[in-house]
Tab-separated table of all heavy atoms in Angstrom:
chain	number	residue	atom	x	y	z
A	96	ASP	N	67.364	71.837	161.737
A	96	ASP	CA	67.603	71.562	163.003
A	96	ASP	C	66.557	70.586	163.627
A	96	ASP	O	65.513	70.809	163.774
A	96	ASP	CB	67.692	72.827	163.759
A	96	ASP	CG	68.096	72.781	165.281
A	96	ASP	OD1	67.722	71.864	165.968
A	96	ASP	OD2	68.697	73.745	165.759
A	97	GLU	N	66.994	69.390	163.904
A	97	GLU	CA	66.094	68.327	164.396
A	97	GLU	C	65.519	68.677	165.688
A	97	GLU	O	64.452	68.051	165.971
A	97	GLU	CB	66.822	66.980	164.252
A	97	GLU	CG	67.234	66.439	162.970
A	97	GLU	CD	68.009	65.195	162.874
A	97	GLU	OE1	68.623	64.814	163.949
A	97	GLU	OE2	67.771	64.517	161.926
A	98	LEU	N	66.224	69.312	166.526
A	98	LEU	CA	65.830	69.694	167.883
A	98	LEU	C	64.602	70.619	167.902
A	98	LEU	O	63.662	70.288	168.505
A	98	LEU	CB	66.886	70.140	168.805
A	98	LEU	CG	66.594	70.251	170.245
A	98	LEU	CD1	66.331	68.863	170.829
A	98	LEU	CD2	67.684	70.918	171.002
A	99	THR	N	64.736	71.674	167.114
A	99	THR	CA	63.651	72.714	166.995
A	99	THR	C	62.738	72.501	165.736
A	99	THR	O	61.564	73.078	165.796
A	99	THR	CB	64.280	74.047	166.860
A	99	THR	OG1	65.035	74.220	165.728
A	99	THR	CG2	65.167	74.222	168.056
A	100	GLY	N	63.146	71.824	164.733
A	100	GLY	CA	62.426	71.817	163.603
A	100	GLY	C	62.608	72.924	162.618
A	100	GLY	O	62.069	73.016	161.492
A	101	ASP	N	63.326	73.849	163.077
A	101	ASP	CA	63.610	75.106	162.222
A	101	ASP	C	64.520	74.750	161.071
A	101	ASP	O	65.355	73.827	161.155
A	101	ASP	CB	64.426	76.253	163.196
A	101	ASP	CG	63.487	76.760	164.178
A	101	ASP	OD1	62.165	76.726	163.942
A	101	ASP	OD2	63.781	77.210	165.152
A	102	THR	N	64.480	75.476	160.053
A	102	THR	CA	65.236	75.390	158.838
A	102	THR	C	65.924	76.658	158.445
A	102	THR	O	65.479	77.707	158.422
A	102	THR	CB	64.355	74.927	157.589
A	102	THR	OG1	63.693	73.730	157.939
A	102	THR	CG2	65.167	74.846	156.348
A	103	THR	N	67.258	76.424	158.211
A	103	THR	CA	68.055	77.631	157.734
A	103	THR	C	68.403	77.520	156.169
A	103	THR	O	68.744	76.379	155.832
A	103	THR	CB	69.492	77.690	158.465
A	103	THR	OG1	69.162	77.858	159.961
A	103	THR	CG2	70.301	78.785	157.923
A	104	GLN	N	68.005	78.467	155.432
A	104	GLN	CA	68.091	78.314	153.935
A	104	GLN	C	69.155	79.180	153.361
A	104	GLN	O	69.428	80.337	153.644
A	104	GLN	CB	66.776	78.724	153.250
A	104	GLN	CG	66.567	78.330	151.835
A	104	GLN	CD	66.178	76.892	151.625
A	104	GLN	OE1	65.650	76.347	152.643
A	104	GLN	NE2	66.387	76.337	150.461
A	105	LEU	N	69.964	78.631	152.392
A	105	LEU	CA	71.034	79.261	151.664
A	105	LEU	C	70.855	79.114	150.156
A	105	LEU	O	70.797	78.080	149.697
A	105	LEU	CB	72.443	78.744	152.083
A	105	LEU	CG	72.837	78.888	153.479
A	105	LEU	CD1	74.129	77.995	153.793
A	105	LEU	CD2	72.862	80.107	154.068
A	106	ASN	N	70.634	80.286	149.541
A	106	ASN	CA	70.285	80.248	148.180
A	106	ASN	C	71.327	80.871	147.252
A	106	ASN	O	71.509	82.116	147.461
A	106	ASN	CB	68.814	80.893	147.839
A	106	ASN	CG	67.866	80.127	148.672
A	106	ASN	OD1	67.714	78.939	148.900
A	106	ASN	ND2	66.775	80.959	149.084
A	107	GLU	N	71.783	80.135	146.252
A	107	GLU	CA	72.736	80.686	145.359
A	107	GLU	C	71.901	81.564	144.321
A	107	GLU	O	70.785	81.387	144.238
A	107	GLU	CB	73.524	79.605	144.650
A	107	GLU	CG	74.495	78.846	145.602
A	107	GLU	CD	75.150	77.713	144.841
A	107	GLU	OE1	74.930	77.565	143.635
A	107	GLU	OE2	76.021	76.996	145.574
A	108	PRO	N	72.617	82.558	143.723
A	108	PRO	CA	71.974	83.413	142.765
A	108	PRO	C	71.483	82.818	141.400
A	108	PRO	O	70.317	83.250	140.816
A	108	PRO	CB	73.016	84.667	142.518
A	108	PRO	CG	74.231	83.937	142.803
A	108	PRO	CD	74.045	82.843	143.823
A	109	GLY	N	72.196	81.875	140.925
A	109	GLY	CA	71.921	81.232	139.706
A	109	GLY	C	72.886	81.738	138.555
A	109	GLY	O	73.573	82.662	138.860
A	110	PRO	N	72.831	81.142	137.335
A	110	PRO	CA	73.626	81.572	136.316
A	110	PRO	C	73.295	82.832	135.650
A	110	PRO	O	72.191	83.174	135.700
A	110	PRO	CB	73.456	80.245	135.306
A	110	PRO	CG	72.059	79.867	135.498
A	110	PRO	CD	71.908	80.103	136.982
A	111	THR	N	74.408	83.461	135.124
A	111	THR	CA	74.034	84.644	134.241
A	111	THR	C	73.512	84.261	132.940
A	111	THR	O	74.201	83.578	132.123
A	111	THR	CB	75.235	85.482	134.122
A	111	THR	OG1	75.665	85.975	135.528
A	111	THR	CG2	74.871	86.742	133.280
A	112	VAL	N	72.277	84.774	132.514
A	112	VAL	CA	71.656	84.321	131.226
A	112	VAL	C	72.030	85.482	130.277
A	112	VAL	O	71.652	86.584	130.493
A	112	VAL	CB	70.231	84.162	131.440
A	112	VAL	CG1	69.537	83.919	130.109
A	112	VAL	CG2	69.883	83.088	132.430
A	113	THR	N	72.434	85.013	128.989
A	113	THR	CA	72.754	85.974	127.992
A	113	THR	C	71.466	86.389	127.316
A	113	THR	O	70.423	85.699	127.374
A	113	THR	CB	73.714	85.349	126.996
A	113	THR	OG1	72.965	84.285	126.270
A	113	THR	CG2	74.958	85.040	127.704
A	114	SER	N	71.425	87.500	126.482
A	114	SER	CA	70.241	87.969	125.803
A	114	SER	C	69.867	86.806	124.630
A	114	SER	O	68.798	86.624	124.493
A	114	SER	CB	70.539	89.301	125.026
A	114	SER	OG	71.650	89.148	124.216
A	115	ALA	N	70.853	86.262	124.127
A	115	ALA	CA	70.561	85.027	123.086
A	115	ALA	C	69.815	84.118	123.818
A	115	ALA	O	68.959	83.272	123.219
A	115	ALA	CB	71.885	84.720	122.463
A	116	GLU	N	70.228	83.677	125.017
A	116	GLU	CA	69.580	82.466	125.719
A	116	GLU	C	68.251	82.852	126.270
A	116	GLU	O	67.282	82.047	126.142
A	116	GLU	CB	70.505	82.221	126.975
A	116	GLU	CG	71.710	81.338	126.650
A	116	GLU	CD	72.858	81.279	127.714
A	116	GLU	OE1	72.696	82.090	128.675
A	116	GLU	OE2	73.772	80.550	127.664
A	117	TRP	N	68.025	84.097	126.545
A	117	TRP	CA	66.725	84.532	126.989
A	117	TRP	C	65.749	84.513	125.614
A	117	TRP	O	64.640	84.066	125.769
A	117	TRP	CB	66.735	86.000	127.468
A	117	TRP	CG	65.440	86.811	127.779
A	117	TRP	CD1	65.025	87.961	127.187
A	117	TRP	CD2	64.269	86.310	128.408
A	117	TRP	NE1	63.821	88.274	127.594
A	117	TRP	CE2	63.272	87.104	128.377
A	117	TRP	CE3	64.018	85.058	129.127
A	117	TRP	CZ2	62.010	87.096	128.839
A	117	TRP	CZ3	62.736	84.900	129.723
A	117	TRP	CH2	61.706	85.850	129.569
A	118	THR	N	66.292	84.943	124.495
A	118	THR	CA	65.473	84.990	123.347
A	118	THR	C	65.157	83.401	122.949
A	118	THR	O	63.982	83.156	122.569
A	118	THR	CB	66.278	85.567	122.203
A	118	THR	OG1	66.499	86.911	122.568
A	118	THR	CG2	65.544	85.398	120.808
A	119	ALA	N	66.123	82.503	123.184
A	119	ALA	CA	65.814	81.173	122.810
A	119	ALA	C	64.806	80.606	123.734
A	119	ALA	O	63.940	79.727	123.296
A	119	ALA	CB	67.150	80.317	122.885
A	120	PHE	N	64.811	80.999	124.997
A	120	PHE	CA	63.737	80.590	125.876
A	120	PHE	C	62.439	80.991	125.533
A	120	PHE	O	61.382	80.178	125.553
A	120	PHE	CB	64.023	80.969	127.372
A	120	PHE	CG	62.943	80.609	128.283
A	120	PHE	CD1	62.857	79.409	128.733
A	120	PHE	CD2	61.833	81.583	128.554
A	120	PHE	CE1	61.621	79.033	129.598
A	120	PHE	CE2	60.823	81.273	129.372
A	120	PHE	CZ	60.738	79.961	129.836
A	121	GLN	N	62.345	82.251	125.089
A	121	GLN	CA	61.013	82.817	124.763
A	121	GLN	C	60.535	82.039	123.459
A	121	GLN	O	59.179	81.775	123.539
A	121	GLN	CB	61.022	84.320	124.305
A	121	GLN	CG	61.386	85.147	125.627
A	121	GLN	CD	61.511	86.580	125.255
A	121	GLN	OE1	60.595	87.231	124.924
A	121	GLN	NE2	62.686	87.215	125.150
A	122	GLU	N	61.297	81.685	122.521
A	122	GLU	CA	60.872	80.918	121.507
A	122	GLU	C	60.307	79.523	121.935
A	122	GLU	O	59.270	79.005	121.478
A	122	GLU	CB	62.012	80.792	120.474
A	122	GLU	CG	62.368	82.019	119.704
A	122	GLU	CD	63.612	82.068	118.925
A	122	GLU	OE1	64.218	81.022	118.978
A	122	GLU	OE2	63.890	82.957	118.314
A	123	ALA	N	61.075	78.859	122.908
A	123	ALA	CA	60.741	77.542	123.318
A	123	ALA	C	59.343	77.609	124.017
A	123	ALA	O	58.517	76.845	124.020
A	123	ALA	CB	61.814	77.001	124.200
A	124	TYR	N	59.256	78.699	124.844
A	124	TYR	CA	57.967	78.959	125.710
A	124	TYR	C	56.800	79.089	124.688
A	124	TYR	O	55.795	78.519	124.947
A	124	TYR	CB	58.160	79.982	126.527
A	124	TYR	CG	57.059	80.632	127.333
A	124	TYR	CD1	56.699	79.943	128.494
A	124	TYR	CD2	56.343	81.768	126.928
A	124	TYR	CE1	55.459	80.447	129.060
A	124	TYR	CE2	55.265	82.288	127.611
A	124	TYR	CZ	54.763	81.560	128.800
A	124	TYR	OH	53.762	82.137	129.396
A	125	GLY	N	56.914	79.933	123.730
A	125	GLY	CA	55.955	80.091	122.742
A	125	GLY	C	55.378	78.843	122.094
A	125	GLY	O	54.290	78.606	121.779
A	126	SER	N	56.312	77.970	121.859
A	126	SER	CA	56.080	76.709	121.050
A	126	SER	C	55.270	75.800	122.059
A	126	SER	O	54.610	74.787	121.413
A	126	SER	CB	57.247	75.969	120.539
A	126	SER	OG	58.053	75.655	121.587
A	127	LEU	N	55.407	75.933	123.301
A	127	LEU	CA	54.811	74.958	124.160
A	127	LEU	C	53.389	75.498	124.618
A	127	LEU	O	52.477	74.587	124.859
A	127	LEU	CB	55.599	74.994	125.573
A	127	LEU	CG	56.978	74.206	125.541
A	127	LEU	CD1	57.647	74.500	126.786
A	127	LEU	CD2	56.762	72.739	125.284
A	128	LEU	N	53.138	76.725	124.491
A	128	LEU	CA	51.793	77.199	124.926
A	128	LEU	C	50.531	76.518	124.283
A	128	LEU	O	49.454	76.356	124.861
A	128	LEU	CB	51.679	78.653	124.754
A	128	LEU	CG	52.479	79.570	125.722
A	128	LEU	CD1	52.502	81.037	125.228
A	128	LEU	CD2	52.109	79.314	127.044
A	129	PRO	N	50.560	76.381	122.914
A	129	PRO	CA	49.316	75.734	122.261
A	129	PRO	C	48.860	74.465	122.936
A	129	PRO	O	47.723	74.105	122.735
A	129	PRO	CB	49.642	75.604	120.706
A	129	PRO	CG	50.843	76.621	120.697
A	129	PRO	CD	51.619	76.530	121.977
A	130	GLY	N	49.754	73.705	123.549
A	130	GLY	CA	49.376	72.421	123.964
A	130	GLY	C	49.074	72.320	125.350
A	130	GLY	O	49.046	71.179	126.135
A	131	VAL	N	49.016	73.487	126.193
A	131	VAL	CA	48.801	73.409	127.593
A	131	VAL	C	47.424	73.988	128.055
A	131	VAL	O	46.924	74.880	127.402
A	131	VAL	CB	49.926	74.084	128.402
A	131	VAL	CG1	51.311	73.336	128.033
A	131	VAL	CG2	49.979	75.494	128.178
A	132	SER	N	46.913	73.556	129.282
A	132	SER	CA	45.753	74.097	129.875
A	132	SER	C	45.914	75.264	130.799
A	132	SER	O	44.925	75.881	131.171
A	132	SER	CB	44.985	72.913	130.470
A	132	SER	OG	45.720	72.266	131.429
A	133	ALA	N	47.155	75.292	131.379
A	133	ALA	CA	47.391	76.373	132.262
A	133	ALA	C	48.949	76.615	132.466
A	133	ALA	O	49.642	75.610	132.227
A	133	ALA	CB	46.837	76.138	133.690
A	134	VAL	N	49.382	77.752	132.798
A	134	VAL	CA	50.708	78.092	132.956
A	134	VAL	C	51.055	78.658	134.400
A	134	VAL	O	50.268	79.345	134.872
A	134	VAL	CB	51.362	79.024	132.024
A	134	VAL	CG1	52.737	79.370	132.142
A	134	VAL	CG2	51.145	78.608	130.603
A	135	ALA	N	52.086	78.093	135.079
A	135	ALA	CA	52.558	78.750	136.354
A	135	ALA	C	53.930	79.351	136.104
A	135	ALA	O	54.858	78.683	135.631
A	135	ALA	CB	52.565	77.749	137.334
A	136	LEU	N	54.137	80.689	136.396
A	136	LEU	CA	55.386	81.415	136.361
A	136	LEU	C	55.797	81.570	137.780
A	136	LEU	O	55.194	82.292	138.576
A	136	LEU	CB	55.237	82.576	135.610
A	136	LEU	CG	54.559	82.604	134.260
A	136	LEU	CD1	54.351	84.091	133.796
A	136	LEU	CD2	55.401	81.799	133.316
A	137	CYS	N	56.933	80.805	138.133
A	137	CYS	CA	57.374	80.827	139.564
A	137	CYS	C	58.808	81.078	139.818
A	137	CYS	O	59.672	80.808	139.074
A	137	CYS	CB	57.135	79.370	139.918
A	137	CYS	SG	55.430	78.659	139.717
A	138	GLY	N	58.981	81.910	140.919
A	138	GLY	CA	60.311	82.159	141.526
A	138	GLY	C	61.037	83.361	141.111
A	138	GLY	O	60.405	84.186	140.468
A	139	SER	N	62.246	83.301	141.318
A	139	SER	CA	63.185	84.438	141.204
A	139	SER	C	63.650	84.445	139.756
A	139	SER	O	63.556	83.452	139.047
A	139	SER	CB	64.276	84.446	142.104
A	139	SER	OG	65.097	83.266	142.003
A	140	LEU	N	64.199	85.602	139.381
A	140	LEU	CA	64.891	85.674	137.978
A	140	LEU	C	66.381	85.474	138.260
A	140	LEU	O	67.056	86.106	139.008
A	140	LEU	CB	64.595	87.024	137.481
A	140	LEU	CG	63.083	87.252	137.187
A	140	LEU	CD1	63.073	88.664	136.536
A	140	LEU	CD2	62.448	86.219	136.224
A	141	PRO	N	67.120	84.540	137.301
A	141	PRO	CA	68.467	84.530	137.363
A	141	PRO	C	69.081	85.820	136.873
A	141	PRO	O	68.435	86.581	136.192
A	141	PRO	CB	68.912	83.371	136.395
A	141	PRO	CG	67.704	83.196	135.598
A	141	PRO	CD	66.425	83.665	136.422
A	142	PRO	N	70.346	86.116	137.173
A	142	PRO	CA	71.021	87.279	136.695
A	142	PRO	C	71.091	87.314	135.112
A	142	PRO	O	71.118	86.278	134.442
A	142	PRO	CB	72.539	87.143	137.187
A	142	PRO	CG	72.466	86.253	138.352
A	142	PRO	CD	71.213	85.282	138.090
A	143	GLY	N	70.785	88.439	134.556
A	143	GLY	CA	70.788	88.655	133.169
A	143	GLY	C	69.325	88.649	132.568
A	143	GLY	O	69.279	89.115	131.291
A	144	VAL	N	68.359	87.960	133.242
A	144	VAL	CA	67.078	87.974	132.544
A	144	VAL	C	66.447	89.430	132.945
A	144	VAL	O	66.447	89.822	134.088
A	144	VAL	CB	66.232	86.917	133.235
A	144	VAL	CG1	64.768	87.012	132.831
A	144	VAL	CG2	66.871	85.452	132.881
A	145	PRO	N	65.707	90.042	132.048
A	145	PRO	CA	65.049	91.282	132.296
A	145	PRO	C	64.126	91.193	133.366
A	145	PRO	O	63.344	90.175	133.492
A	145	PRO	CB	64.343	91.608	130.811
A	145	PRO	CG	65.137	90.747	129.865
A	145	PRO	CD	65.571	89.506	130.495
A	146	VAL	N	63.950	92.311	134.134
A	146	VAL	CA	63.161	92.458	135.203
A	146	VAL	C	61.669	92.341	134.835
A	146	VAL	O	60.873	91.941	135.569
A	146	VAL	CB	63.440	93.642	136.063
A	146	VAL	CG1	62.942	94.934	135.317
A	146	VAL	CG2	62.779	93.564	137.516
A	147	GLY	N	61.312	92.571	133.626
A	147	GLY	CA	60.087	92.516	133.191
A	147	GLY	C	59.764	91.266	132.407
A	147	GLY	O	58.705	91.065	131.734
Side-chain angles (χ1 to χ4, degrees):
D96 184 319
E97 295 178 332
L98 190 64
T99 65
D101 292 337
T102 301
T103 299
Q104 193 82 18
L105 303 172
N106 296 329
E107 295 179 357
T111 298
V112 176
T113 67
S114 59
E116 289 166 342
W117 169 235
T118 298
F120 173 80
Q121 291 178 80
E122 293 172 354
Y124 172 77
S126 70
L127 291 168
L128 287 174
V131 301
S132 55
V134 174
L136 307 174
C137 303
S139 63
L140 300 179
V144 172
V146 72

